[in-house]
Amino acid sequence: MSSGDNLYHQPTMEEVTVLKDMATKLRIHSVKMTLASKSGHPTSCSSMAELMSVLFFKVMKYKDPKVTKEQRDPANDRFILSKGHAAPILYAAWAEAGLFPVSDLMNLRKIDSDLEGHPTPRLNFIDVATGSLGQGLSVACGMAYAGKHFDKASYRTYCLMGDGESMEGNIWEALNFAGFYKLNNLCAIIDVNRLGQSDPAPLQHDMETYKKRMESFGFHAIVVDGHDILELCKAFDEAESVTDKPTCLIAKTFKGKYFPDIENLMNWHGKALGDKSASVVKHVESLMKNPGVKPTNIPPPTMDAPNVDITGVALSDPPAYTLGDKLATRQAYGSALAKLAKNNPNVVALDGDMKNSTFSQEMLKVDKNRYIECFICEQNMLGVGIGVACRDRSVAFASTFAAFLTRGFDNLRMGVISQTNLNVVGSHCGVSIGEDGPSQMALEDIAMFR
C-alpha cells in the first residue's frame, strides 16, 4: 500500500462525543420519521448511524449547506447510498447539516413530499436514484473515474452498500472495475449488519471472508467496528492516504442497534416500530450527552474541479455520405462519435469489449484518454456511464451489441429515474436474425427503449 505523508490526528474526546450524539440523533430521527409515515426501514438506518455521523460531520468535504442549497457542486465529495431503503437517515443527515429544516423530515413518504421512500434526484443533494439494490457502486465508480482521469480534482467518492446487496453480480462487476483502474479516490463501505429481509445474509458476520474477497478485487480492505467512532475516524483517514488502489471499509454492525428487544433480531426489516417506538426513542435518547448537539466540523471542499461546459455539442463537420451507398449503422456511429469528440473535449465513450464491432474505437483516434473500456460487464458499463455523466462532468456514450443491453435493463430504468443524460448505443439490432444467430441479435430492446 502506498500512502501519503499526512499523519493521523485522532479526534478529541469532545469531538467523539459530538459524533456519538449526532449518530444517536440520526437514529431517533429515523424512528420518528418512519413512525409518522407508518412505513420504512428504521433498523437498517440504525446499523449505519455512526458511519453516517462520521462521514457527514467529519470526513466528507462539502460546501456549507446553510449557505449552499444546491449540494451537487462539482467540488464537493460525492456520496451514493446504494442501500436506498435507508433513505430516512440520509435525509436526517442533510437536515442536521443545515440543508433544510429538521421539521421537514416528518414529511417522509407523503404523496406531496420529495422525501420519498428511496432517494431520487428530485432532491438537490441526490445524484442518482437508488433502491434497486446493487447499482450504486457502479455509479460511484463512474464518478471516481471522472474525478481521477477527467477532472483531475481532489473530490472523493463514497458509496455505502448493504451486506445483502454486496452479493449482487452488478456489485462484483463494479469491484472488478474499481480494482482494475486503481480508483484510489473511491471508498466503498459495506454495512455488515448480518440480517437480510427474510433470512440472515450469506456471510453473516464472517468479516475475514469479506476482507479476502475485497482484497482479491484489488481493494485495500479495512475491517472495523461500525459502531466505534474512533475506529471509523481512523479507518476513513487511512482510506484517504491510500494512493494505489480503492479502499473498502467493512463495518461490523447490528441491525436495530440500541433498539431494545429489536437489535440483531429477525423480522424487523422494512417495518416502522409502531407501539415500540416510544420506548425505543426514550432508551436511545438516554444515551445522549447533549440533546441539543449540532455538527461542529464539516470541512469545506478543495475548489479545484474545472469548469465544464457540455452545451452546444455538435459534429465537427456534417455527414458526407453518397446517396445510394450502403453503410453499416454502427460504422456511421463510430464516425459521428469521433466528430462529436473532436468538437467537444467533454464527450467520452464507454464500451464492453466490443469497440471494434461497435466502432466506438474511433474515439481512440481522437483521444484515447476519453475512452473507458468496461470489459464484458454491461450492467457496470451503464452504471459507470451514468456516474461519469453526473453533475454534468461529461457527455457519455455507452455502446455494445443491443442484445446485451437487455441485461442492463434495470440500470437503464433507474437511470431514467435518475434523470441521466447517458447516451446508449446498441449495434447488431433489427427485426431479423443475422448471420451470428439469435443469441447476438436484438429484438427485445425495441420494447425496452420504447
Side-chain angles (χ1 to χ4, degrees):
M1 179 183 80
S2 299
S3 301
D5 296 327
N6 294 337
L7 295 175
Y8 172 59
H9 297 286
Q10 183 170 300
T12 65
M13 290 315 297
E14 183 181 353
E15 289 175 307
V16 170
T17 299
V18 168
L19 292 171
K20 281 183 178 178
D21 281 351
M22 288 307 306
T24 304
K25 266 189 126 173
L26 297 180
R27 279 193 176 89
I28 294 167
H29 285 317
S30 300
V31 173
K32 290 181 175 180
M33 293 163 69
T34 51
L35 176 66
S37 65
K38 298 182 173 62
S39 64
H41 300 75
T43 58
S44 299
C45 293
S46 186
S47 66
M48 52 186 274
E50 285 78 12
L51 282 163
M52 292 295 284
S53 177
V54 172
L55 267 171
F56 273 78
F57 310 132
K58 179 170 176 59
V59 172
M60 283 174 47
K61 300 176 178 67
Y62 52 96
K63 292 183 176 179
D64 184 353
K66 294 187 286 296
V67 177
T68 305
K69 297 306 178 183
E70 171 54 69
Q71 281 294 319
R72 290 169 295 204
D73 189 280
N76 284 355
D77 283 350
R78 277 69 164 150
F79 178 77
I80 301 291
L81 180 64
S82 194
K83 51 174 283 187
H85 53 281
I89 200 166
L90 175 60
Y91 302 156
W94 279 112
E96 286 292 347
L99 187 61
F100 57 90
V102 170
S103 58
D104 287 359
L105 294 174
M106 292 302 106
N107 295 324
L108 176 73
R109 290 177 172 240
K110 289 183 179 178
I111 194 167
D112 58 349
S113 171
D114 285 341
L115 298 179
E116 299 181 61
H118 294 76
T120 76
R122 289 169 64 182
L123 297 161
N124 60 9
F125 52 90
I126 300 296
D127 285 288
V128 292
T130 57
S132 185
L133 294 179
Q135 298 185 25
L137 187 58
S138 290
V139 176
C141 283
M143 292 174 156
Y145 192 99
K148 182 171 184 173
H149 294 287
F150 301 151
D151 288 343
K152 297 179 173 60
S154 300
Y155 65 80
R156 292 177 59 76
T157 300
Y158 298 88
C159 177
L160 199 155
M161 301 169 277
D163 49 355
E165 77 164 315
S166 72
M167 303 297 155
E168 286 269 15
N170 196 161
I171 294 289
W172 289 48
E173 289 184 8
L175 291 171
N176 182 69
F177 180 93
F180 179 81
Y181 285 110
K182 303 184 187 304
L183 299 178
N184 59 299
N185 56 347
L186 172 69
C187 182
I189 307 149
I190 305 179
D191 176 22
V192 186
N193 65 23
R194 192 180 77 81
L195 301 178
Q197 176 167 325
S198 63
D199 257 322
L203 294 180
Q204 298 201 44
H205 275 152
D206 183 357
M207 309 306 285
E208 188 59 28
T209 298
Y210 276 109
K211 186 172 188 285
K212 288 177 180 176
R213 287 184 178 181
M214 293 305 112
E215 288 173 342
S216 74
F217 280 109
F219 274 70
H220 175 60
I222 310 172
V223 175
V224 291
D225 178 345
H227 300 301
D228 187 308
I229 296 293
L230 276 173
E231 276 197 39
L232 291 172
C233 290
K234 186 175 182 180
F236 280 117
D237 184 81
E238 182 178 322
E240 195 163 352
S241 73
V242 176
T243 59
D244 62 346
K245 61 183 68 175
T247 295
C248 182
L249 265 64
I250 309 162
K252 182 178 181 180
T253 63
F254 292 92
K255 206 162 188 174
K257 181 67 174 176
Y258 298 128
F259 295 175
D261 303 319
I262 294 172
E263 179 180 331
N264 201 31
L265 296 177
M266 284 298 305
N267 299 316
W268 282 100
H269 181 89
K271 296 177 181 178
L273 304 189
D275 295 341
K276 289 182 176 288
S277 298
S279 61
V280 167
V281 169
K282 184 178 180 181
H283 173 72
V284 177
E285 283 180 337
S286 73
L287 304 176
M288 296 185 74
K289 296 276 182 69
N290 176 16
V293 67
K294 290 293 181 185
T296 57
N297 183 27
I298 299 174
T302 302
M303 300 301 294
D304 60 357
N307 292 323
V308 172
D309 182 7
I310 63 167
T311 62
V313 176
L315 298 174
S316 57
D317 49 275
Y321 302 117
T322 303
L323 185 65
D325 285 354
K326 290 185 177 181
L327 184 78
T329 51
R330 56 196 170 113
Q331 189 174 349
Y333 162 66
S335 175
L337 177 66
K339 289 179 179 181
L340 290 173
K342 285 178 185 175
N343 218 28
N344 191 293
N346 304 117
V347 170
V348 303
L350 307 86
D351 207 301
D353 193 27
M354 291 287 187
K355 58 182 172 291
N356 54 349
S357 287
T358 62
F359 282 84
S360 63
Q361 65 183 6
E362 295 301 305
M363 172 62 85
L364 300 175
K365 300 175 183 177
V366 179
D367 185 352
K368 61 180 174 48
N369 295 316
R370 285 191 274 151
Y371 174 83
I372 307 174
E373 180 55 69
C374 296
F375 304 102
I376 307 174
C377 303
E378 289 83 5
Q379 293 177 82
N380 183 63
M381 176 184 73
L382 294 171
V384 169
I386 291 169
V388 297
C390 276
R391 304 196 185 188
D392 291 340
R393 306 318 291 163
S394 70
V395 177
F397 289 81
S399 56
T400 185
F401 283 19
F404 305 151
L405 289 169
T406 55
R407 69 190 64 182
F409 172 72
D410 195 35
N411 303 74
L412 293 167
R413 181 181 71 89
M414 292 299 290
V416 171
I417 300 170
S418 300
Q419 304 169 25
T420 182
N421 67 347
L422 175 66
N423 301 280
V424 183
V425 181
S427 68
H428 295 73
C429 53
V431 292
S432 63
I433 297 170
E435 295 89 340
D436 280 340
S439 71
Q440 312 297 297
M441 284 300 297
L443 182 58
E444 299 83 359
D445 67 302
I446 296 175
M448 186 172 76
F449 282 99
R450 61 178 163 70

XYZ file of all heavy atoms in Angstrom, residues 24 27-28 31-32 46 256-263 273 276-289:
230
model
N -26.693 9.255 17.456
C -27.905 8.977 18.233
C -29.076 9.799 17.717
O -30.202 9.301 17.590
C -27.648 9.283 19.726
O -26.527 8.525 20.166
C -28.852 8.924 20.570
N -30.438 8.251 14.601
C -31.272 7.080 14.928
C -32.684 7.515 15.320
O -33.680 6.952 14.865
C -30.664 6.290 16.097
C -29.551 5.368 15.725
C -29.222 4.397 16.860
N -28.203 3.491 16.372
C -26.900 3.718 16.463
N -26.460 4.819 17.039
N -26.032 2.842 15.964
N -32.740 8.507 16.207
C -34.040 8.966 16.698
C -34.879 9.520 15.555
O -36.078 9.221 15.439
C -33.845 10.027 17.800
C -33.186 9.378 19.027
C -35.169 10.680 18.171
C -32.676 10.372 20.046
N -36.427 6.679 13.542
C -37.581 6.048 14.196
C -38.811 6.948 14.077
O -39.900 6.485 13.710
C -37.271 5.752 15.679
C -38.526 5.248 16.396
C -36.153 4.733 15.800
N -38.648 8.223 14.364
C -39.791 9.141 14.338
C -40.335 9.341 12.927
O -41.559 9.409 12.720
C -39.390 10.488 14.947
C -39.156 10.435 16.451
C -38.794 11.814 17.002
C -38.674 11.797 18.522
N -38.315 13.139 19.065
N -30.468 2.311 11.630
C -29.771 2.302 12.913
C -28.401 1.646 12.828
O -27.461 2.070 13.508
C -30.617 1.595 13.966
O -30.023 1.709 15.232
N -30.788 -2.552 13.867
C -31.559 -2.073 15.011
C -30.698 -1.786 16.225
O -31.173 -1.888 17.365
N -29.449 -1.369 16.016
C -28.523 -1.102 17.124
C -29.145 -0.135 18.133
O -29.687 0.910 17.760
C -27.216 -0.523 16.565
C -26.150 -0.232 17.625
C -25.619 -1.499 18.259
C -24.455 -1.214 19.205
N -23.997 -2.439 19.898
N -29.078 -0.521 19.419
C -29.585 0.245 20.559
C -31.106 0.256 20.640
O -31.670 1.014 21.442
C -29.042 1.679 20.568
C -27.540 1.761 20.705
C -26.772 2.500 19.808
C -26.872 1.078 21.723
C -25.378 2.571 19.932
C -25.479 1.144 21.846
C -24.747 1.882 20.949
O -23.370 1.948 21.076
N -31.788 -0.578 19.855
C -33.239 -0.695 19.970
C -33.543 -1.908 20.857
O -33.361 -3.055 20.417
C -33.901 -0.899 18.601
C -33.775 0.271 17.642
C -34.251 0.153 16.334
C -33.203 1.472 18.027
C -34.140 1.208 15.448
C -33.082 2.533 17.137
C -33.557 2.404 15.847
N -34.016 -1.712 22.078
C -34.276 -2.848 22.974
C -35.274 -3.844 22.384
O -36.286 -3.453 21.786
C -34.860 -2.173 24.228
C -34.347 -0.770 24.184
C -34.285 -0.418 22.731
N -34.963 -5.115 22.522
C -35.808 -6.225 22.055
C -35.981 -6.249 20.533
O -36.868 -6.940 20.016
C -37.198 -6.172 22.717
C -37.119 -6.208 24.234
O -36.300 -6.987 24.761
O -37.864 -5.445 24.878
N -35.151 -5.496 19.828
C -35.195 -5.449 18.360
C -33.803 -5.667 17.773
O -33.649 -6.340 16.745
C -35.780 -4.099 17.871
C -37.256 -3.978 18.267
C -35.621 -3.940 16.354
C -37.858 -2.610 17.990
N -32.785 -5.125 18.434
C -31.420 -5.211 17.939
C -31.006 -6.649 17.623
O -31.196 -7.558 18.438
C -30.441 -4.629 18.975
C -28.986 -4.692 18.540
C -28.020 -4.108 19.560
O -28.430 -3.196 20.318
O -26.858 -4.556 19.608
N -41.572 0.986 13.825
C -41.548 0.288 15.121
C -42.879 0.332 15.859
O -43.037 -0.339 16.891
C -40.438 0.877 16.001
C -39.029 0.856 15.406
C -38.003 1.260 16.451
C -38.686 -0.503 14.810
N -43.711 0.108 19.771
C -42.413 0.082 20.443
C -41.647 1.396 20.296
O -40.604 1.598 20.945
C -41.554 -1.069 19.905
C -42.025 -2.462 20.324
C -41.080 -3.515 19.790
C -41.457 -4.911 20.279
N -41.159 -5.095 21.725
N -42.126 2.273 19.427
C -41.365 3.482 19.097
C -41.064 4.340 20.313
O -39.934 4.809 20.501
C -42.120 4.308 18.050
O -42.272 3.581 16.848
N -42.059 4.587 21.148
C -41.869 5.481 22.291
C -40.798 4.950 23.239
O -39.913 5.707 23.678
C -43.193 5.667 23.032
N -40.845 3.660 23.548
C -39.854 3.097 24.470
C -38.469 3.074 23.842
O -37.456 3.297 24.533
C -40.274 1.691 24.901
O -40.354 0.813 23.786
N -38.404 2.819 22.527
C -37.110 2.829 21.836
C -36.520 4.239 21.857
O -35.338 4.424 22.187
C -37.256 2.307 20.385
C -36.003 2.622 19.575
C -37.522 0.811 20.377
N -37.321 5.234 21.510
C -36.829 6.614 21.490
C -36.371 7.038 22.892
O -35.316 7.667 23.052
C -37.915 7.575 20.961
C -37.520 9.035 21.201
C -38.140 7.335 19.467
N -37.145 6.665 23.905
C -36.775 7.015 25.278
C -35.417 6.413 25.642
O -34.562 7.093 26.233
C -37.848 6.523 26.248
C -37.584 6.924 27.693
C -38.706 6.461 28.612
C -38.423 6.865 30.061
N -39.499 6.404 30.980
N -35.206 5.141 25.278
C -33.934 4.494 25.587
C -32.781 5.136 24.813
O -31.722 5.424 25.391
C -34.000 3.003 25.259
C -32.668 2.313 25.387
N -32.074 2.069 26.606
C -31.803 1.848 24.438
C -30.900 1.481 26.414
N -30.709 1.331 25.115
N -32.984 5.370 23.514
C -31.911 5.934 22.687
C -31.586 7.358 23.137
O -30.417 7.759 23.194
C -32.284 5.876 21.190
C -31.194 6.531 20.346
C -32.482 4.434 20.741
N -32.610 8.121 23.496
C -32.368 9.484 23.995
C -31.530 9.473 25.267
O -30.724 10.382 25.498
C -33.705 10.186 24.268
C -34.405 10.675 23.020
C -35.725 11.354 23.316
O -36.322 11.082 24.382
O -36.184 12.147 22.462
N -31.679 8.427 26.079
C -30.916 8.347 27.331
C -29.427 8.167 27.090
O -28.614 8.354 28.012
C -31.441 7.193 28.192
O -31.049 5.932 27.653
N -29.037 7.812 25.860
C -27.631 7.602 25.531
C -26.913 8.898 25.170
O -25.691 8.917 25.059
C -27.516 6.617 24.353
C -28.192 5.251 24.519
C -28.063 4.443 23.230
C -27.593 4.484 25.691
N -27.687 9.987 25.006
C -27.100 11.244 24.549
C -26.524 12.043 25.708
O -27.114 12.139 26.774
C -28.137 12.094 23.809
C -28.653 11.481 22.523
S -29.745 12.614 21.642
C -28.571 13.783 20.992
N -25.363 12.634 25.462
C -24.775 13.556 26.432
C -25.392 14.947 26.283
O -25.635 15.640 27.259
C -23.258 13.635 26.208
C -22.509 12.329 26.449
C -22.181 12.145 27.912
C -21.383 10.869 28.148
N -20.020 10.938 27.592
